[in-house]
Amino acid sequence: MSLGGEAAPDEEPATRKLPRTFFGFHYESVVALCALTLVWQIVSLFVPHFLFPSVPEIVARLIDIFSSPKLTGDALATSARILAGLGGAFVLGTVLALPMARSPSFERYAYPLLNFNQGIPALSWVVIAIIWFRGIEFRIFFIMVMTTLPAFTFQVLDAYRGMSKDLFEMTLSFRPSKRDLFRTLIWPTVLPGILTAWKVNLGNAARVVVVAELVGATGGVGYELLQQQQLFDMAGAVAWTLVLVIFVLVVQGVISLIESRALRYRAFAEHAL
């Protein structure tokens, strides 16, 4: 303790604590979700059943979905479509971002095209894909790639440009091989931006795939939601929506786990401050 009652620079504040988590989620998040569930259940007691089905009924429909091989197959099909589309957009976005970072002239041509692509609604890509392509799976893959490509490209580009110029020049002074340069400097620099891009685009992809399946698929979460709408079955609609939410939360949890392992040095840096 220094004079004046201020903590010395080398002292760690007593109030700094590690975040409390429950299976990768903060306790506050779990409490908030439980509160939302409770509010829904209370509302269901006073609102017509077809508008707000009870929580037990929604849970029963979820169990039915995961108990049926056909319905589980629809959920897995949507999950595979999301991951395939994100993977394709990430690879193509990286291929575009690297030459954009190295060549200003290439960037001047590519940047406006990507901005133009960002302004095209997902439903427009659905219509275009139906007219252009015959195969359902390729249609959905094309829609997923085109709607998430600009975000991946810009995020990878920003992550690459966030590299410290002084640190880059210092690393070059040791005359590293291209492999060592990538492993020791480039990869650790761009990895946080890449993981953030996946987390951000995952939610966007989940929304887009439902639109694509609503119009041009014979299976999947979007197709099942359309069936529930035609039957005016709110419990089924909420249950299928939760299936997609569960998938997104699981994948985000996996990404967060990778982030905590690969970027654990940032936790040490925070506690050193």
Side-chain angles (χ1 to χ4, degrees):
M1 182 71 67
S2 63
L3 294 176
E6 296 181 357
D10 57 341
E11 292 184 35
E12 184 176 353
T15 58
R16 184 184 294 273
K17 296 180 180 179
L18 291 174
R20 298 174 299 169
T21 59
F22 179 80
F23 290 102
F25 298 98
H26 293 288
Y27 281 119
E28 293 82 357
S29 301
V30 177
V31 171
L33 291 175
C34 291
L36 176 62
T37 303
L38 179 61
V39 170
W40 181 284
Q41 179 61 25
I42 294 173
V43 173
S44 70
L45 300 176
F46 302 97
V47 176
H49 172 76
F50 63 89
L51 294 178
F52 276 83
S54 65
V55 172
E57 184 177 355
I58 295 172
V59 172
R61 297 299 297 273
L62 269 174
I63 294 174
D64 290 340
I65 291 172
F66 289 111
S67 301
S68 169
K70 178 185 180 301
L71 299 180
T72 303
D74 283 336
L76 293 176
T78 296
S79 303
R81 288 163 179 163
I82 292 174
L83 294 177
L86 287 176
F90 170 69
V91 171
L92 185 57
T94 303
V95 170
L96 287 173
L98 293 180
M100 287 175 67
R102 294 175 174 270
S103 173
S105 59
F106 179 78
E107 181 184 5
R108 285 194 292 270
Y109 287 103
Y111 206 97
L113 293 178
L114 291 169
N115 273 331
F116 178 80
N117 187 4
Q118 270 192 317
I120 300 177
L123 186 58
S124 296
W125 284 120
V126 171
V127 175
I128 293 171
I130 291 175
I131 295 174
W132 279 359
F133 308 113
R134 182 172 299 177
I136 293 175
E137 294 303 325
F138 189 79
R139 285 177 183 171
I140 297 176
F141 177 77
F142 173 80
I143 296 165
M144 299 293 295
V145 170
M146 297 308 295
T147 52
T148 57
L149 174 62
F152 266 123
T153 305
F154 293 145
Q155 287 159 340
V156 173
L157 178 62
D158 289 342
Y160 183 83
R161 285 180 169 168
M163 189 185 314
S164 171
K165 183 179 180 182
D166 294 336
L167 185 60
F168 184 78
E169 293 176 350
M170 183 188 72
T171 305
L172 290 180
S173 67
F174 292 97
R175 299 182 182 275
S177 64
K178 291 183 178 181
R179 178 178 178 275
D180 289 337
L181 180 64
F182 178 81
R183 180 176 58 87
T184 60
L185 179 62
I186 297 177
W187 178 244
T189 300
V190 302
L191 181 59
I194 289 174
L195 293 176
T196 300
W198 272 85
K199 287 192 288 187
V200 171
N201 289 317
L202 179 63
N204 295 332
R207 290 186 285 271
V208 170
V209 75
V210 169
V211 176
E213 290 176 341
L214 278 171
V215 179
T218 56
V221 174
Y223 173 81
E224 294 294 342
L225 282 172
L226 181 61
Q227 303 306 306
Q228 306 311 310
Q229 182 265 327
Q230 293 174 347
L231 296 173
F232 214 72
D233 185 354
M234 178 61 77
V238 175
W240 277 106
T241 301
L242 289 177
V243 168
L244 196 59
V245 171
I246 290 170
F247 167 76
V248 171
L249 291 177
V250 169
V251 177
Q252 283 184 339
V254 172
I255 296 174
S256 296
L257 180 61
I258 295 172
E259 188 176 35
S260 63
R261 296 291 179 87
L263 308 177
R264 57 184 178 273
Y265 63 87
R266 297 202 299 193
F268 292 120
E270 289 177 358
H271 289 290
L273 294 176

